[in-house]
């Protein structure tokens, strides 16, 4: 099935639009999620910095109960889980759980980073709450010595919900943009394919010998130049066709008016052209494109054609056809590999020659007897 140029152009634009939209949406969602995580991490770090100065004296004085009350109260106010861990990994306070029942946190990545003096950060599933969380851990110092770690964490389900809502809105906007792009692509493909279809229709008309077909475009681009060139070509072709038709008609008239028979054969012995004189010679109508021997079965003529095909040069011979004698002058055309035969009717010449021969023979016979008597 042949696809139209409109479908090819439109499907190409559709594919490009879908691929680019998919890439942009995927990149945008990833960027939005990264941005929200970075923003949340910065917010948790700022909270930790403001809280770290309050809990440092309590950790130093080992007032774990007061520390746990402060953490739970502050955690409810800011809706963030807060955990205070000693340098040996023991949980001193937690805003969500009983610190006594919690396991040692020394192996947690963010805790280990904070104990080393860095700001710890990690994203993982909480083992106690079984939900994905973002952890930010800050070292707590007293007189430049790390005495504990303050960790703040936030459920990612809140971020995921916000990202999901953003994704829905972005998807709606993207679909709207895609629909507008497809409409524009449809109009563009339609406008581009329309002049091409006009050129195709005009070309078909020219191929069907309708040289009056013309294409007029007002695109002010290469297609308009192409249409102008096409119109010029059509005008030139019309002129050349009329000239060739006139020449062909003149040539046909000349060939038809010749008294000599003319026959043109290809290398397969098929008839390509013949005139009326030849038709009169064979008393028939040879079929164009068919072998000549369907109408002309003469051994001498066959030998002549074979000799010309083998030697690929001109030759002549006398051939008797329907009780008349013809001198066949045959020429080989190397340009088209065709054989042109001209039939000259020499029947009357042969008759005169025969009369002369018979007359001389009779005279010689009649004079022989008197001459013999005179000699005797």
């Amino acid at each position: 099935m042949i696809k139209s140029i409109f479908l090819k152009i439109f499907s190409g634009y559709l594919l490009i639009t879908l691929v680019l939209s998919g890439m942009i949406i995927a990149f945008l969602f990833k960027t939005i999620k990264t941005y929200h995580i970075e923003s949340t991490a910065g917010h948790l770090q700022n909270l930790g910095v403001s809280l770290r100065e309050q809990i440092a004296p309590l950790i130093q004085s080992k007032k774990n109960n007061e520390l746990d009350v402060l953490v739970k109260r502050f955690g409810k106010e800011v809706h963030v889980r807060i955990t205070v861990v000693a340098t040996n990994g023991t949980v001193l306070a937690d805003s969500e759980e009983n610190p006594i029942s919690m396991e040692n946190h020394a192996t947690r990545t963010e805790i280990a980073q904070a104990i080393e003096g860095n700001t710890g950060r990690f994203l993982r599933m909480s083992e106690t709450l079984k939900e994905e969380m973002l952890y930010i851990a800050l070292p707590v110092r007293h007189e430049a010595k790390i005495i504990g770690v303050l960790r703040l964490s936030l459920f990612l389900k809140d971020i995921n919900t916000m990202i999901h809502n953003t994704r829905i809105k972005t998807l709606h906007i993207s679909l709207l943009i895609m629909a507008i792009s497809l409409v524009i692509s449809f109009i563009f493909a339609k406008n581009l394919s329309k002049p091409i279809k006009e050129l195709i229709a005009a070309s078909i008309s020219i191929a069907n010998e309708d040289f009056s077909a013309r294409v007029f475009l007002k695109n002010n681009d290469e297609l308009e130049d192409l249409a102008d060139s096409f119109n010029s070509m059509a005008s030139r072709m019309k002129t050349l066709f009329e000239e060739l038709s006139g020449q062909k008609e003149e040539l046909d008239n000349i060939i038809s008016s010749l008294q000599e028979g003319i026959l043109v054969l290809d290398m397969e012995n098929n008839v390509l052209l013949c005139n009326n004189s030849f038709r009169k010679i064979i008393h028939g109508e040879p079929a164009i494109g068919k072998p000549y021997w369907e109408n002309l079965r003469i051994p001498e003529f066959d030998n002549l054609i074979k000799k010309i095909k083998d030697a690929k040069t001109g030759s002549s011979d006398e051939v008797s056809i329907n009780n008349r004698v013809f001198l066949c002058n045959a020429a080989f055309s190397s340009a088209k590999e065709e054989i042109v035969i001209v039939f000259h009717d020499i029947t009357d010449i042969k008759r005169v020659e025969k009369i002369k021969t018979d007359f001389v023979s009779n005279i010689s016979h009649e004079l022989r007897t008197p001459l013999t008597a005179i000699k005797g």
Side-chain angles (χ1 to χ4, degrees):
M1 180 180 178
I2 300 177
K3 293 183 178 180
S4 65
I5 189 170
F6 167 77
L7 289 178
K8 290 181 179 180
I9 296 174
F10 182 72
S11 59
Y13 276 105
L14 176 61
L15 180 61
I16 293 173
T17 302
L18 292 177
V19 172
L20 290 179
S21 299
M23 293 175 61
I24 292 173
I25 291 173
F27 177 76
L28 184 62
F29 288 163
K30 185 177 180 180
T31 303
I32 291 174
K33 185 174 182 179
T34 303
Y35 169 78
H36 282 299
I37 291 176
E38 292 293 335
S39 178
T40 303
H43 175 65
L44 291 178
Q45 187 171 350
N46 292 334
L47 288 176
V49 170
S50 62
L51 181 62
R52 183 168 53 181
E53 302 301 326
Q54 300 181 39
I55 66 174
L58 297 177
I59 297 176
Q60 179 65 24
S61 60
K62 297 183 180 181
K63 296 180 179 180
N64 294 342
N65 291 333
E66 295 181 14
L67 178 63
D68 190 58
V69 171
L70 175 64
V71 165
K72 284 182 168 54
R73 178 175 58 80
F74 193 80
K76 289 180 180 180
E77 291 177 357
V78 297
H79 304 288
V80 173
R81 184 179 182 182
I82 303 172
T83 306
V84 180
V85 182
T87 55
N88 61 359
T90 303
V91 178
L92 302 178
D94 188 84
S95 61
E96 301 290 339
E97 300 289 335
N98 185 358
I100 299 176
S101 62
M102 297 176 67
E103 61 183 8
N104 192 286
H105 280 39
T107 58
R108 306 294 169 87
T109 302
E110 69 279 2
I111 300 297
Q113 292 173 350
I115 292 175
E116 293 178 358
N118 302 316
T119 299
R121 175 177 169 177
F122 204 67
L123 185 67
R124 69 167 182 272
M125 187 73 70
S126 172
E127 295 182 2
T128 55
L129 301 178
K130 304 302 180 183
E131 291 188 25
E132 190 177 20
M133 301 188 72
L134 173 64
Y135 296 93
I136 297 295
L138 302 175
V140 180
R141 290 182 173 87
H142 179 72
E143 296 180 354
K145 179 183 178 181
I146 298 176
I147 60 175
V149 175
L150 171 62
R151 189 183 71 176
L152 299 93
S153 57
L154 187 67
F155 291 108
L156 280 188
K157 65 179 182 180
D158 298 331
I159 298 177
N160 292 333
T161 301
M162 181 173 53
I163 292 175
H164 178 71
N165 295 333
T166 305
R167 182 184 290 116
I168 296 298
K169 293 179 180 179
T170 305
L171 198 58
H172 289 165
I173 295 173
S174 300
L175 290 176
L176 178 61
I177 294 174
M178 286 175 61
I180 296 174
S181 301
L182 291 179
V183 171
I184 295 174
S185 301
F186 178 85
I187 297 173
F188 176 77
K190 196 74 175 177
N191 292 335
L192 183 61
S193 63
K194 183 179 179 181
I196 296 177
K197 288 181 178 180
E198 293 181 9
L199 286 169
I200 293 173
S203 300
I204 294 174
S205 299
I206 295 292
N208 294 328
E209 300 182 4
D210 180 12
F211 297 102
S212 62
R214 296 291 183 273
V215 180
F216 299 99
L217 301 178
K218 299 298 180 183
N219 296 50
N220 293 324
D221 55 13
E222 290 82 357
L223 288 175
E224 183 177 357
D225 296 337
L226 178 61
D228 294 339
S229 300
F230 178 86
N231 295 335
S232 300
M233 180 193 68
S235 299
R236 181 59 179 162
M237 287 182 64
K238 181 179 181 181
T239 303
L240 292 175
F241 186 80
E242 290 175 351
E243 292 177 357
L244 289 174
S245 298
Q247 293 176 2
K248 183 178 182 300
E249 184 178 356
E250 183 179 358
L251 181 61
D252 290 341
N253 292 333
I254 293 173
I255 293 175
S256 298
S257 63
L258 289 176
Q259 296 298 320
E260 289 80 7
I262 294 178
L263 177 65
V264 181
L265 304 176
D266 60 14
M267 296 302 292
E268 303 298 328
N269 296 328
N270 296 320
V271 177
L272 299 178
L273 176 67
C274 65
N275 63 355
N276 293 329
S277 298
F278 178 77
R279 296 184 182 93
K280 293 177 180 179
I281 292 172
I282 63 173
H283 298 163
E285 180 70 28
I288 303 299
K290 298 293 184 179
Y292 72 86
W293 58 68
E294 292 185 359
N295 301 91
L296 189 62
R297 293 179 177 271
I298 299 175
E300 293 84 356
F301 186 77
D302 296 340
N303 295 332
L304 175 63
I305 297 300
K306 185 176 184 304
K307 182 168 62 175
I308 294 172
K309 289 174 62 177
D310 294 339
K312 293 187 177 180
T313 184
S315 182
S316 61
D317 199 359
E318 294 181 2
V319 176
S320 296
I321 304 174
N322 296 328
N323 300 321
R324 298 190 69 84
V325 181
F326 297 89
L327 177 62
C328 297
N329 290 324
F332 180 79
S333 175
S334 58
K336 295 185 177 180
E337 293 193 343
E338 297 174 350
I339 302 171
V340 181
I341 307 103
V342 180
F343 294 81
H344 298 277
D345 191 348
I346 59 173
T347 303
D348 295 335
I349 297 175
K350 285 293 185 180
R351 185 180 296 113
V352 171
E353 289 179 355
K354 188 175 184 303
I355 292 173
K356 288 181 180 180
T357 303
D358 292 343
F359 177 75
V360 172
S361 177
N362 291 334
I363 292 297
S364 298
H365 177 72
E366 293 297 333
L367 291 177
R368 190 179 294 118
T369 302
L371 287 175
T372 303
I374 293 171
K375 286 181 181 181

